[in-house]
Amino acid sequence: MTSIYSRITGTGSALPERILTNADLEKLVETSDEWIQTRTGIRQRHVAAAGETTGDLATLAAQRALEAAGVKASDIDLIVLGTTTPDIIFPSTACLVQHRLGANGCAAFDVNAACSGFMYALGIADKFIRSGQSKKVLVIGAETLTRMVDWTERETCVLFGDGAGAVVLEASAEPGIYATCLHADGGHKDLLYNPVGVSAGFTDEPNHGVRIRMSGREVFKVAVKTLDSLVDETLQAAGMQESDIDWLIPHQANLRIIEATAKRLKMSMDRVVVTVDKHANTSSGSVPLALDFAVRSGKVQRGQTLLLEAFGGGFTWASALLRY
Ligand code: UT7
Protein backbone atom coordinates (compact mmCIF):
# COMPACT_ATOMS: atom_id res chain seq x y z
CA MET A 1 0.00 0.00 0.00
CA THR A 2 1.40 3.41 -0.90
CA SER A 3 1.60 6.04 1.84
CA ILE A 4 -0.44 9.22 1.76
CA TYR A 5 1.39 12.43 2.59
CA SER A 6 0.14 15.98 2.97
CA ARG A 7 1.68 18.76 0.88
CA ILE A 8 1.34 22.54 1.00
CA THR A 9 -0.03 23.59 -2.39
CA GLY A 10 -0.73 27.26 -1.68
CA THR A 11 -0.05 29.96 0.91
CA GLY A 12 -1.71 33.28 1.71
CA SER A 13 -1.68 35.98 4.36
CA ALA A 14 -3.42 39.16 5.42
CA LEU A 15 -2.45 42.14 7.56
CA PRO A 16 -4.48 45.09 8.79
CA GLU A 17 -3.70 48.32 6.95
CA ARG A 18 -2.75 50.38 10.01
CA ILE A 19 0.91 50.27 11.05
CA LEU A 20 2.04 51.25 14.53
CA THR A 21 5.76 52.03 14.66
CA ASN A 22 8.07 52.00 17.67
CA ALA A 23 8.10 55.80 17.42
CA ASP A 24 4.29 55.78 17.80
CA LEU A 25 4.67 53.65 20.95
CA GLU A 26 7.19 56.12 22.39
CA LYS A 27 4.23 58.49 22.63
CA LEU A 28 2.12 55.98 24.58
CA VAL A 29 4.54 54.48 27.13
CA GLU A 30 8.01 55.06 28.59
CA THR A 31 9.96 53.17 25.92
CA SER A 32 12.31 53.77 23.01
CA ASP A 33 12.76 52.51 19.49
CA GLU A 34 16.31 51.57 20.50
CA TRP A 35 15.14 49.41 23.46
CA ILE A 36 12.47 47.64 21.41
CA GLN A 37 14.78 46.92 18.47
CA THR A 38 17.71 45.77 20.61
CA ARG A 39 15.65 43.51 22.90
CA THR A 40 13.18 42.13 20.36
CA GLY A 41 14.10 43.03 16.76
CA ILE A 42 10.65 44.62 16.29
CA ARG A 43 10.35 47.86 14.29
CA GLN A 44 6.59 47.99 13.69
CA ARG A 45 3.36 46.00 13.99
CA HIS A 46 0.00 46.01 12.19
CA VAL A 47 -3.10 46.83 14.23
CA ALA A 48 -6.66 45.87 13.28
CA ALA A 49 -9.11 48.73 12.69
CA ALA A 50 -12.19 49.07 14.87
CA GLY A 51 -14.58 46.36 13.75
CA GLU A 52 -11.90 44.43 11.85
CA THR A 53 -11.83 40.89 13.22
CA THR A 54 -9.71 37.75 13.32
CA GLY A 55 -12.28 36.20 10.95
CA ASP A 56 -11.83 39.05 8.44
CA LEU A 57 -8.06 38.52 8.33
CA ALA A 58 -8.43 34.73 8.27
CA THR A 59 -10.91 34.86 5.36
CA LEU A 60 -8.60 37.06 3.29
CA ALA A 61 -5.55 34.91 4.01
CA ALA A 62 -7.53 31.75 3.15
CA GLN A 63 -8.81 33.23 -0.13
CA ARG A 64 -5.24 34.06 -1.13
CA ALA A 65 -4.03 30.56 -0.22
CA LEU A 66 -6.88 28.95 -2.22
CA GLU A 67 -6.05 31.14 -5.21
CA ALA A 68 -2.35 30.25 -4.99
CA ALA A 69 -3.22 26.54 -4.82
CA GLY A 70 -5.81 26.78 -7.60
CA VAL A 71 -8.36 25.10 -5.33
CA LYS A 72 -12.06 26.03 -5.10
CA ALA A 73 -13.45 26.71 -1.61
CA SER A 74 -16.22 24.18 -2.27
CA ASP A 75 -13.57 21.43 -2.68
CA ILE A 76 -12.18 21.97 0.85
CA ASP A 77 -13.18 19.14 3.19
CA LEU A 78 -11.72 20.46 6.48
CA ILE A 79 -10.84 23.84 8.01
CA VAL A 80 -8.61 23.97 11.09
CA LEU A 81 -7.98 27.45 12.47
CA GLY A 82 -5.52 28.31 15.22
CA THR A 83 -6.47 31.35 17.29
CA THR A 84 -6.66 32.70 20.83
CA THR A 85 -8.66 35.71 19.73
CA PRO A 86 -11.81 34.31 18.10
CA ASP A 87 -14.40 36.79 16.78
CA ILE A 88 -17.07 35.51 19.17
CA ILE A 89 -17.22 32.67 21.70
CA PHE A 90 -19.20 30.48 19.34
CA PRO A 91 -19.61 29.53 16.57
CA SER A 92 -15.88 29.01 16.06
CA THR A 93 -14.04 31.42 13.80
CA ALA A 94 -13.42 28.42 11.51
CA CYS A 95 -17.21 28.15 11.01
CA LEU A 96 -17.53 31.89 10.34
CA VAL A 97 -14.71 31.73 7.79
CA GLN A 98 -16.13 28.57 6.20
CA HIS A 99 -19.42 30.30 5.43
CA ARG A 100 -17.73 33.40 4.05
CA LEU A 101 -15.56 31.29 1.77
CA GLY A 102 -18.50 29.21 0.57
CA ALA A 103 -17.08 25.95 1.88
CA ASN A 104 -20.28 25.06 3.80
CA GLY A 105 -20.63 21.44 4.82
CA CYS A 106 -17.01 20.54 5.52
CA ALA A 107 -15.69 19.97 9.05
CA ALA A 108 -14.46 23.19 10.66
CA PHE A 109 -13.06 23.93 14.11
CA ASP A 110 -10.72 26.22 16.04
CA VAL A 111 -7.62 25.19 17.96
CA ASN A 112 -6.45 27.23 20.93
CA ALA A 113 -2.77 26.54 21.52
CA ALA A 114 -1.75 30.21 21.92
CA CYS A 115 1.29 31.04 19.75
CA SER A 116 1.56 27.40 18.63
CA GLY A 117 -2.00 27.49 17.26
CA PHE A 118 -1.07 27.28 13.59
CA MET A 119 1.53 24.56 14.20
CA TYR A 120 -1.05 22.51 16.13
CA ALA A 121 -3.59 23.07 13.33
CA LEU A 122 -1.03 21.92 10.76
CA GLY A 123 -0.19 18.80 12.79
CA ILE A 124 -3.89 17.92 13.09
CA ALA A 125 -4.59 18.56 9.39
CA ASP A 126 -1.62 16.38 8.43
CA LYS A 127 -3.09 13.50 10.45
CA PHE A 128 -6.53 13.91 8.81
CA ILE A 129 -4.90 13.69 5.38
CA ARG A 130 -2.58 10.79 6.24
CA SER A 131 -5.52 8.79 7.61
CA GLY A 132 -7.40 9.24 4.32
CA GLN A 133 -10.17 11.21 6.05
CA SER A 134 -9.47 14.49 4.19
CA LYS A 135 -8.07 15.39 0.77
CA LYS A 136 -7.94 19.18 0.76
CA VAL A 137 -7.60 21.11 4.01
CA LEU A 138 -7.39 24.79 4.83
CA VAL A 139 -5.05 25.44 7.75
CA ILE A 140 -5.21 28.95 9.15
CA GLY A 141 -3.49 30.90 11.93
CA ALA A 142 -5.17 34.22 12.67
CA GLU A 143 -5.17 36.72 15.51
CA THR A 144 -6.21 40.18 16.58
CA LEU A 145 -3.93 40.04 19.59
CA THR A 146 -3.83 43.81 20.05
CA ARG A 147 -7.44 43.54 21.32
CA MET A 148 -6.01 42.07 24.53
CA VAL A 149 -3.02 44.37 24.83
CA ASP A 150 -2.88 46.84 27.70
CA TRP A 151 -1.55 49.95 25.95
CA THR A 152 -0.32 51.37 29.27
CA GLU A 153 1.98 48.41 30.05
CA ARG A 154 5.32 48.84 28.29
CA GLU A 155 6.53 45.31 29.11
CA THR A 156 3.91 43.78 26.80
CA CYS A 157 2.34 46.40 24.52
CA VAL A 158 5.46 46.74 22.35
CA LEU A 159 5.53 43.01 21.54
CA PHE A 160 2.32 42.12 19.74
CA GLY A 161 0.56 42.68 16.43
CA ASP A 162 -2.37 41.43 14.33
CA GLY A 163 -2.34 39.26 11.21
CA ALA A 164 -3.24 35.96 9.60
CA GLY A 165 -1.68 33.31 7.40
CA ALA A 166 -3.11 30.24 5.71
CA VAL A 167 -2.04 27.21 3.72
CA VAL A 168 -3.89 24.72 1.56
CA LEU A 169 -2.77 21.21 2.44
CA GLU A 170 -3.52 18.45 -0.07
CA ALA A 171 -3.13 14.69 -0.16
CA SER A 172 -0.11 13.64 -2.20
CA ALA A 173 1.84 10.50 -3.06
CA GLU A 174 5.06 12.45 -2.34
CA PRO A 175 6.09 14.25 0.89
CA GLY A 176 5.05 16.88 1.91
CA ILE A 177 5.19 16.87 5.61
CA TYR A 178 7.73 14.39 6.99
CA ALA A 179 7.08 14.94 10.68
CA THR A 180 5.14 17.09 13.12
CA CYS A 181 5.77 17.30 16.88
CA LEU A 182 3.22 18.80 19.29
CA HIS A 183 3.74 19.37 23.03
CA ALA A 184 2.29 21.20 26.01
CA ASP A 185 3.11 21.72 29.70
CA GLY A 186 0.29 23.37 31.61
CA GLY A 187 2.58 23.68 34.64
CA HIS A 188 3.93 26.97 33.24
CA LYS A 189 0.50 28.60 32.98
CA ASP A 190 1.36 31.53 35.26
CA LEU A 191 4.28 32.75 33.13
CA LEU A 192 2.11 33.69 30.13
CA TYR A 193 -1.67 33.92 30.34
CA ASN A 194 -4.85 35.89 30.08
CA PRO A 195 -6.83 35.13 33.22
CA VAL A 196 -10.42 36.00 32.37
CA GLY A 197 -13.08 34.19 30.40
CA VAL A 198 -16.66 32.97 30.39
CA SER A 199 -16.26 30.25 33.01
CA ALA A 200 -13.72 31.93 35.32
CA GLY A 201 -15.52 35.24 34.91
CA PHE A 202 -14.75 38.79 33.84
CA THR A 203 -13.64 41.55 36.23
CA ASP A 204 -14.40 45.26 36.74
CA GLU A 205 -10.92 46.21 35.46
CA PRO A 206 -10.50 48.07 32.16
CA ASN A 207 -11.41 45.83 29.19
CA HIS A 208 -13.09 43.44 31.71
CA GLY A 209 -9.64 42.31 32.87
CA VAL A 210 -8.79 40.89 29.43
CA ARG A 211 -5.05 41.50 29.22
CA ILE A 212 -1.91 39.51 28.41
CA ARG A 213 0.22 38.80 31.49
CA MET A 214 3.75 37.67 30.86
CA SER A 215 6.94 37.11 32.83
CA GLY A 216 9.08 37.95 29.80
CA ARG A 217 12.51 36.94 31.08
CA GLU A 218 11.32 33.53 32.34
CA VAL A 219 9.36 32.83 29.14
CA PHE A 220 12.45 33.73 27.13
CA LYS A 221 14.64 31.22 28.99
CA VAL A 222 12.18 28.33 28.73
CA ALA A 223 11.48 29.14 25.06
CA VAL A 224 15.15 28.95 24.05
CA LYS A 225 15.74 25.68 25.93
CA THR A 226 12.52 24.05 24.75
CA LEU A 227 13.04 25.01 21.11
CA ASP A 228 16.53 23.52 21.28
CA SER A 229 15.16 20.11 22.16
CA LEU A 230 12.19 20.51 19.80
CA VAL A 231 14.41 20.91 16.75
CA ASP A 232 16.42 17.82 17.79
CA GLU A 233 13.24 15.81 18.22
CA THR A 234 11.84 16.96 14.86
CA LEU A 235 15.02 16.12 12.95
CA GLN A 236 15.07 12.70 14.57
CA ALA A 237 11.37 12.08 13.79
CA ALA A 238 12.00 12.93 10.13
CA GLY A 239 15.30 11.00 9.98
CA MET A 240 17.17 14.15 8.91
CA GLN A 241 20.15 16.27 9.91
CA GLU A 242 20.66 20.01 10.39
CA SER A 243 22.33 20.25 6.97
CA ASP A 244 19.19 18.92 5.23
CA ILE A 245 17.21 22.04 6.13
CA ASP A 246 17.07 24.84 3.58
CA TRP A 247 14.98 27.29 5.61
CA LEU A 248 14.08 27.77 9.25
CA ILE A 249 10.67 29.46 9.56
CA PRO A 250 10.35 30.13 13.28
CA HIS A 251 7.70 31.72 15.47
CA GLN A 252 8.30 35.45 15.33
CA ALA A 253 8.33 36.57 18.98
CA ASN A 254 11.85 37.82 19.52
CA LEU A 255 14.84 37.99 17.17
CA ARG A 256 17.16 36.84 19.96
CA ILE A 257 15.14 33.63 20.43
CA ILE A 258 15.21 33.07 16.65
CA GLU A 259 18.99 33.60 16.56
CA ALA A 260 19.48 31.10 19.40
CA THR A 261 17.52 28.42 17.50
CA ALA A 262 19.44 29.15 14.29
CA LYS A 263 22.71 28.78 16.20
CA ARG A 264 21.59 25.45 17.63
CA LEU A 265 20.87 24.31 14.04
CA LYS A 266 24.25 25.69 12.84
CA MET A 267 22.32 27.81 10.34
CA SER A 268 23.40 31.25 9.21
CA MET A 269 20.71 33.91 9.54
CA ASP A 270 20.42 34.21 5.76
CA ARG A 271 18.65 30.83 5.81
CA VAL A 272 16.17 31.99 8.45
CA VAL A 273 12.93 33.74 7.56
CA VAL A 274 12.56 36.82 9.76
CA THR A 275 9.41 38.96 9.77
CA VAL A 276 9.31 39.91 13.46
CA ASP A 277 10.69 43.35 12.49
CA LYS A 278 7.59 44.07 10.37
CA HIS A 279 4.81 42.08 12.08
CA ALA A 280 5.93 41.72 15.75
CA ASN A 281 4.42 38.70 17.55
CA THR A 282 1.13 37.76 15.87
CA SER A 283 0.80 34.50 17.86
CA SER A 284 -0.95 31.88 15.65
CA GLY A 285 -0.56 34.19 12.64
CA SER A 286 3.20 34.35 12.94
CA VAL A 287 4.53 31.20 11.23
CA PRO A 288 2.07 31.14 8.27
CA LEU A 289 2.62 34.88 7.73
CA ALA A 290 6.38 34.31 7.63
CA LEU A 291 5.94 31.32 5.31
CA ASP A 292 3.75 33.26 2.88
CA PHE A 293 6.17 36.18 2.96
CA ALA A 294 9.06 33.82 2.15
CA VAL A 295 7.15 32.12 -0.68
CA ARG A 296 5.90 35.31 -2.31
CA SER A 297 9.26 37.07 -2.07
CA GLY A 298 10.83 34.11 -3.89
CA LYS A 299 13.04 33.01 -0.99
CA VAL A 300 11.40 29.63 -0.48
CA GLN A 301 11.34 27.50 -3.64
CA ARG A 302 9.47 24.31 -4.48
CA GLY A 303 11.41 21.21 -3.41
CA GLN A 304 13.17 22.91 -0.51
CA THR A 305 13.10 21.54 3.03
CA LEU A 306 11.57 23.76 5.70
CA LEU A 307 11.56 23.56 9.48
CA LEU A 308 8.62 25.39 11.05
CA GLU A 309 8.35 25.82 14.83
CA ALA A 310 6.50 27.78 17.49
CA PHE A 311 6.36 28.27 21.26
CA GLY A 312 3.73 30.00 23.36
CA GLY A 313 1.30 30.19 26.24
CA GLY A 314 0.32 26.94 27.91
CA PHE A 315 3.18 26.40 27.50
CA THR A 316 2.72 24.85 24.08
CA TRP A 317 5.39 24.12 21.50
CA ALA A 318 5.18 22.46 18.12
CA SER A 319 7.03 21.95 14.85
CA ALA A 320 6.82 20.57 11.33
CA LEU A 321 9.55 19.44 8.96
CA LEU A 322 8.43 19.42 5.36
CA ARG A 323 9.37 19.54 1.71
CA TYR A 324 7.69 22.57 0.17
O1 UT7 B 1 5.12 34.24 21.78
C1 UT7 B 1 5.02 33.70 23.05
C2 UT7 B 1 6.28 33.68 23.73
N1 UT7 B 1 6.71 34.96 24.17
C3 UT7 B 1 7.99 35.24 24.09
O2 UT7 B 1 8.71 34.47 23.53
C4 UT7 B 1 8.53 36.47 24.75
C5 UT7 B 1 9.75 36.08 25.51
N2 UT7 B 1 10.40 37.19 26.21
C6 UT7 B 1 11.01 38.21 25.56
O3 UT7 B 1 10.95 38.31 24.35
C7 UT7 B 1 11.83 39.18 26.39
O4 UT7 B 1 11.97 38.70 27.70
C8 UT7 B 1 11.22 40.61 26.44
C9 UT7 B 1 11.37 41.28 25.09
C10 UT7 B 1 9.74 40.54 26.83
C11 UT7 B 1 11.95 41.46 27.47
O5 UT7 B 1 13.35 41.48 27.19
P1 UT7 B 1 14.42 41.21 28.34
O6 UT7 B 1 15.75 41.40 27.73
O7 UT7 B 1 14.09 39.88 28.94
O8 UT7 B 1 14.14 42.41 29.32
P2 UT7 B 1 13.68 42.38 30.84
O9 UT7 B 1 12.27 41.94 30.96
O10 UT7 B 1 14.71 41.67 31.63
O11 UT7 B 1 13.72 43.92 31.19
C12 UT7 B 1 14.96 44.65 31.18
C13 UT7 B 1 14.67 46.09 31.56
C14 UT7 B 1 13.85 46.24 32.83
O12 UT7 B 1 14.34 47.32 33.55
P3 UT7 B 1 15.36 47.10 34.78
O13 UT7 B 1 14.63 46.21 35.74
O14 UT7 B 1 16.57 46.43 34.19
O15 UT7 B 1 15.61 48.48 35.26
C15 UT7 B 1 12.48 46.55 32.31
O16 UT7 B 1 11.70 47.32 33.21
O17 UT7 B 1 13.94 46.75 30.53
C16 UT7 B 1 12.78 47.38 31.08
N3 UT7 B 1 11.73 47.36 30.08
C17 UT7 B 1 11.59 48.30 29.13
N4 UT7 B 1 12.30 49.42 28.86
C18 UT7 B 1 11.91 50.15 27.81
C19 UT7 B 1 10.75 46.42 29.89
N5 UT7 B 1 9.98 46.75 28.84
C20 UT7 B 1 10.49 47.91 28.35
C21 UT7 B 1 10.13 48.73 27.25
N6 UT7 B 1 10.86 49.84 27.02
N7 UT7 B 1 9.10 48.44 26.43
Side-chain angles (χ1 to χ4, degrees):
M1 209 178 81
T2 51
S3 303
I4 310 172
Y5 295 97
S6 69
R7 242 189 89 233
I8 293 176
T9 55
T11 67
S13 62
L15 289 159
E17 213 173 285
R18 183 176 162 222
I19 290 174
L20 196 69
T21 64
N22 292 350
D24 295 328
L25 283 169
E26 284 176 357
K27 293 174 202 138
L28 289 180
V29 286
E30 188 67 39
T31 191
S32 66
D33 175 48
E34 201 266 332
W35 190 95
I36 303 171
Q37 284 210 45
T38 316
R39 302 286 178 135
T40 71
I42 297 167
R43 288 190 288 119
Q44 61 172 50
R45 69 286 295 139
H46 290 249
V47 177
E52 190 175 27
T53 68
T54 294
D56 293 336
L57 297 171
T59 303
L60 203 54
Q63 282 164 337
R64 289 172 177 158
L66 286 167
E67 195 182 296
V71 168
K72 289 201 299 277
S74 53
D75 290 336
I76 291 294
D77 47 26
L78 171 68
I79 299 174
V80 193
L81 187 150
T83 192
T84 31
T85 47
D87 287 22
I88 54 178
I89 291 161
F90 71 86
S92 68
T93 305
C95 286
L96 305 180
V97 170
Q98 182 217 49
H99 178 58
R100 289 172 66 180
L101 292 174
N104 305 55
C106 72
F109 59 91
D110 287 359
V111 176
N112 178 349
C115 294
S116 309
F118 174 80
M119 296 310 308
Y120 262 62
L122 190 69
I124 293 164
D126 176 55
K127 303 298 174 290
F128 268 77
I129 287 182
R130 281 182 183 235
S131 72
Q133 178 85 33
S134 304
K135 298 269 181 295
K136 293 181 198 295
V137 184
L138 251 177
V139 187
I140 308 170
E143 304 276 6
T144 43
L145 220 62
T146 64
R147 292 273 153 71
M148 44 188 201
V149 159
D150 176 351
W151 295 105
T152 66
E153 191 183 83
R154 70 173 184 176
E155 286 80 6
T156 48
C157 78
V158 302
L159 302 175
F160 302 104
D162 301 330
V167 303
V168 174
L169 208 60
E170 293 190 61
S172 158
E174 305 283 322
I177 294 183
Y178 294 109
T180 64
C181 302
L182 315 185
H183 292 282
D185 182 352
H188 293 290
K189 174 226 142 198
D190 291 337
L191 293 182
L192 180 54
Y193 67 114
N194 191 331
V196 303
V198 178
S199 188
F202 293 85
T203 72
D204 295 332
E205 294 168 69
N207 202 24
H208 311 288
V210 174
R211 156 169 98 77
I212 298 168
R213 304 177 197 214
M214 181 168 79
S215 308
R217 208 175 304 184
E218 284 74 22
V219 175
F220 187 101
K221 279 189 224 149
V222 183
V224 170
K225 214 167 125 218
T226 307
L227 289 169
D228 259 17
S229 46
L230 180 64
V231 298
D232 287 346
E233 180 194 352
T234 316
L235 284 168
Q236 206 171 10
M240 290 191 181
Q241 299 171 351
E242 286 101 338
S243 56
D244 294 324
I245 302 169
D246 294 301
W247 289 99
L248 170 65
I249 308 189
H251 176 47
Q252 309 284 324
N254 187 315
L255 186 59
R256 291 184 290 142
I257 298 178
I258 295 174
E259 284 168 347
T261 309
K263 197 168 161 202
R264 166 67 195 84
L265 285 166
K266 304 185 193 83
M267 290 178 86
S268 70
M269 285 304 286
D270 55 12
R271 287 166 59 211
V272 181
V273 177
V274 175
T275 54
V276 68
D277 54 331
K278 293 183 235 2
H279 304 155
N281 183 349
T282 57
S283 185
S284 293
S286 144
V287 172
L289 258 168
L291 172 63
D292 187 52
F293 168 83
V295 167
R296 287 177 194 259
S297 64
K299 282 185 182 214
V300 164
Q301 301 284 327
R302 282 278 165 214
Q304 288 187 324
T305 301
L306 319 182
L307 176 59
L308 279 48
E309 47 85 344
F311 178 91
F315 288 147
T316 56
W317 58 102
S319 62
L321 215 162
L322 58 96
R323 182 173 294 257
Y324 176 67

